[in-house]
Structure formats: C-alpha cells, structure tokens
C-alpha cells in the first residue's frame, strides 16, 4: 500500500502532453468543453511542471510545444487553446507518433510523464489496423533510457474504438482508459486522471518473490503468479513489475505454491519490493518479508483469508470479463452473459456484502451483464463499460469519471478531490 501525500507542495513535478481530436465530429459543445477543461487543467499545474498540446485530424500538429509552465507560458497556452478549431478526419496513429516524438525530445524532463489522448471516433486516416497502432504505440512509448510514460486514453461518446484505446493504454505502465459517455463527463474524467498523476509517490516498482534454499529442499515450489507482468526466473524465483503508485493505492499479487512435505522452520516464501521514491527522489529497496504458511491438523480445512478471497474474486472477474468480451465479439451474447453470471453469483453470496471491493465488483458485473443484453446494448455502452472495468480491476486503479459513478473502491483522496473540482466546474458552466 502506498503512503498518503499529505503536502501537495512536495508532490513530484509532472510532464503532461495532451493529444486532442479536432476532427469534424468534435464541433460544437464537444470542442468547447475540451477547451475549458484544458484551461482548468493548466491552472492546476505549477512552474515546475511541463505542458504541451497536439491536435489531430487528418494529420497531427504541435499546437503548444511541451515546456515548463512559467506565468507567461501558461497565458500563451490558454490563448492557443481558445483558438483551436475543428478540421476533418481522425488520424490516431499520427497523434501517437507525434506525441511520442515531442515528449521524448524534452531536454529537462520530469520523472512523472503522461499523455492524455482524447478521441470521439474511429481512425479513418493514417494507420487504421488496431494491431498496427498498438505496435506503433509500444515502439514509440517504451524507452528504457528515459522515465516511463503513462498513456491515458479518453473515448468520447459511443463511436470510438474502445478495444483499441484500452489496448493502447495497457501498453504503458500506469495507463488507463476512460469511457466518456456524454459531454458532462469530459471534465470529470480529466480531473480524475490528473488527480492521480499529481499524486504519484512511487515508480518502477518491482516485487521479488523467492523460495529460500531450505524450503526448496522441502518441496516448496512456485506454481503461478496471477499477474500479467510476471517474469519467471526459475521454479523458485519470480519478479513482478507493478509500475507506479498513486498515493494510497494498493497492489495485491496472488500466487500459488506447493506446500512443504515436512514441518518447516524457514519461510515458504520471502518477498521484497524495490521502487523509485518520486518524493524523496531516491531508489528504495524494502526489507525481506517472510511468508509462513501453516498446515491445518488432520483433514480440516483452513479458514480462508477474506482479503485473499476477495482478491481472487477480482482476478476471476477480469478473467470472465475477458472471455465474455470474446464471446460478444462473435455475437454470442447469451453465452457471454452466462460467463458474467458466475462471478456475479459468487460476489452476491459473499458474507461481507458491505466490503468496498464486493460493492465494486457487484456493480461492475451487473453493469457488464446489462451491457450484454443485445448487440445494440453492447455496441452503445456495453463494450466500453466492460473495457473500463477490466482494466480498472486488473491494475487496481480508478478510471471512471466521478459524475458517472460517485463511488469507486480504487479512487483515493487526491483523485476524488480533483475529480470533484472538475465536475463542479462543468456544473457551474451549465448553470451559468
């Protein structure tokens, strides 16, 4: 679990580059709301932060070169934002390529770097195949010689390719996908994402899981680690890359092992974590924490740990949502719904119905089931909603605009405060 960030003045400075879709479909209220949201975003940054803006339609253009935000630079950026106008097509690949080129060309880069990409449509110019665009993003945004870049993708309305945006966001450590259902959600989504970025307390976290020599001789072996970024060194050693941490965030890594064939005096497992402390600007390696597992007497079963049980439900939910999306893509909506009913039933039967994670899983699974009622339900909102929940539960991070759902078990104080600030800003504009 990450610490709280009690003093905003001590937060890590950030580099933020926004790639904004200015195709014809963004005309009217959409572009106006994006302009006002970007202006509000700028006002949350300081002279230690850097900001840049790229607009894209048929091609991509650098509107504001990424640079430190002096008072004069901030004013010039706001003036430039207000002068934006819509153009024609949607070239997402050009946006990815130019944002990567711009943010990686910085001379005085900060440790926390993020790209916000907002689009309301499908790619109809440049590279159009999703797999090719994902390969482009992977090649452009991963540079081992520079601080990591997180990509936050915002799908505006019902016409964007939510599968593509989720996959692009997943390529980068700490990336997220937001489904912006309507105009009022734009500011709230940006506020939620910004609140997280401005509260990064750790980066490049790596968990080390090791079986001690004496335990290996007693038959202990690691069978599996339930995480996408696991690296198997051998049967007794794994590393897991868990990326960055926002203030107050948790990461739960479940693993399966064989128990010893005799009484052990040594731990079954030793774990440690190393990371970059973005506040103190130093590399930290934790002490080694031993993990002992005791066998019950006779044929009795151990009482399950509620925490482990709930985390397994989280992992099971992601697995079944992934399978359900595959069924839905083939038009098999009845089968897809039945897959969701399995974890939903387990969650509904859980003893602690008031636990925040049980509440979260129940809401997300019910929403997923409703989104699989028919092809029209799935196309309009179901697919995007499931993609949001899948990625959120996989990385244990909130990626939902506050105006769409006020409760989110993963949303920390900084995200809540910034999301509320941006949501109230939108409400004040409507009443004004």
């Amino acid at each position: 679990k990450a610490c709280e960030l009690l003093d905003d003045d001590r937060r890590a400075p950030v580099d933020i580059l926004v790639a904004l879709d200015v195709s014809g479909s963004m005309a009217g209220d959409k572009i106006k709301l994006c302009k006002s949201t970007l202006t509000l975003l700028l006002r949350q940054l300081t002279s230690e932060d850097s900001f840049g803006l790229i607009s894209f339609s048929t091609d991509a253009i650098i509107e504001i070169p990424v640079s430190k935000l002096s008072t004069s630079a901030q004013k010039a950026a706001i003036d430039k934002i207000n002068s934006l106008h819509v153009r024609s097509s949607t070239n997402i690949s050009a946006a990815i390529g130019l944002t990567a080129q711009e943010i990686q060309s910085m001379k005085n880069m900060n440790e926390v770097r993020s790209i916000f990409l907002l689009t309301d449509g499908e790619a109809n110019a440049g590279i159009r195949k999703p797999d090719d665009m994902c390969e482009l993003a992977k090649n452009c945004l991963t540079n081992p010689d520079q601080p990591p870049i997180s990509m936050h993708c915002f799908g505006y309305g019902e016409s964007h390719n939510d599968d593509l945006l989720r996959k692009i966001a997943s390529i980068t450590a700490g990336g997220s996908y937001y489904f912006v259902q309507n105009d009022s959600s734009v500011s709230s989504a940006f506020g939620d994402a910004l609140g997280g970025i401005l509260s990064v307390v750790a980066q490049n976290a790596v968990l080390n899981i090791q079986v001690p020599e004496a335990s290996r001789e007693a038959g202990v072996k690691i069978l599996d680690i339930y995480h996408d970024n696991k690296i198997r060194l051998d049967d007794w050693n794994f590393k897991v890359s868990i990326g960055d941490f926002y203030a107050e965030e948790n990461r739960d890594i479940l693993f399966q092992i064989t128990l010893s064939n005799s009484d052990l005096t040594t731990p079954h497992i030793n774990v440690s974590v190393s990371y970059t402390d973005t506040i103190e600007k130093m590399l930290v390696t934790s002490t080694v924490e031993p993990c002992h597992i005791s066998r019950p007497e006779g044929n009795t079963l151990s009482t399950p740990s509620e925490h482990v049980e709930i985390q397994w439900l989280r992992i099971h939910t992601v697995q079944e949502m992934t399978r359900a999306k595959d069924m839905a893509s083939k038009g098999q909506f009845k089968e897809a719904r039945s897959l969701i009913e399995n974890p939903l039933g387990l969650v509904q039967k859980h003893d602690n119905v008031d636990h925040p994670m049980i509440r979260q899983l129940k809401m997300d699974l019910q929403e997923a089931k409703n989104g699989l009622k028919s092809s029209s339900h799935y196309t309009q909102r179901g697919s995007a909603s499931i993609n949001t929940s899948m990625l959120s539960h996989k990385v244990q991070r909130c990626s939902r605009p506050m105006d769409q759902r006020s409760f989110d078990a993963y949303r920390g104080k900084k995200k809540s405060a910034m999301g509320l600030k941006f949501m109230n800003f939108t409400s004040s504009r409507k009443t004004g």
Side-chain angles (χ1 to χ4, degrees), residues 204-207 227-231 239-244 253:
N204 302 317
V206 176
L207 184 70
H227 197 281
D228 285 352
N229 297 327
K230 64 188 175 188
I231 300 173
K239 288 183 179 290
V240 185
S241 296
I242 48 181
D244 62 2
I253 313 301

Side-chain angles (χ1 to χ4, degrees), residues 405-418:
R405 188 191 291 172
S406 59
F407 169 78
D408 192 296
Y410 300 122
R411 185 183 285 127
K413 293 176 184 176
K414 298 298 181 182
K415 270 180 166 275
S416 294
M418 194 66 73

Side-chain angles (χ1 to χ4, degrees), residues 21 86 122 195 224 228 234 257 311 326 378 408 419 422 430:
D21 185 346
V86 298
E122 297 260 6
D224 200 4
D228 285 352
D234 53 40
I257 65 170
Q311 291 306 317
D326 182 57
Y378 184 70
D408 192 296
F422 274 61
K430 287 182 177 179

Side-chain angles (χ1 to χ4, degrees), residues 255-287:
F255 56 89
Q256 183 179 7
I257 65 170
T258 57
L259 296 180
S260 64
N261 49 27
S262 60
D263 290 335
L264 274 182
T265 56
T266 57
H268 280 75
I269 295 286
N270 284 326
V271 296
S272 63
V273 64
S274 59
Y275 60 92
T276 301
D277 185 327
T278 61
I279 307 300
E280 301 297 337
K281 297 178 175 55
M282 60 185 291
L283 181 64
V284 177
T285 301
S286 75
T287 57

Side-chain angles (χ1 to χ4, degrees), residues 13-68:
V14 302
D15 300 330
I16 295 179
L17 183 56
V18 177
L20 180 64
D21 185 346
V22 292
S23 59
S25 58
M26 288 289 292
D29 287 341
K30 284 185 177 181
I31 193 67
K32 289 179 183 177
L33 280 165
C34 287
K35 287 180 181 182
S36 59
T37 298
L38 290 178
T39 299
L40 180 60
L41 183 151
L42 271 169
R43 289 175 175 152
Q44 313 311 309
L45 304 180
T46 72
S47 58
E48 295 297 312
D49 302 315
S50 295
F51 176 82
L53 174 65
I54 285 171
S55 67
F56 66 96
S57 58
T58 305
D59 53 8
I61 298 173
I62 299 174
E63 302 285 359
I64 303 171
V66 63
S67 61
K68 297 290 184 183

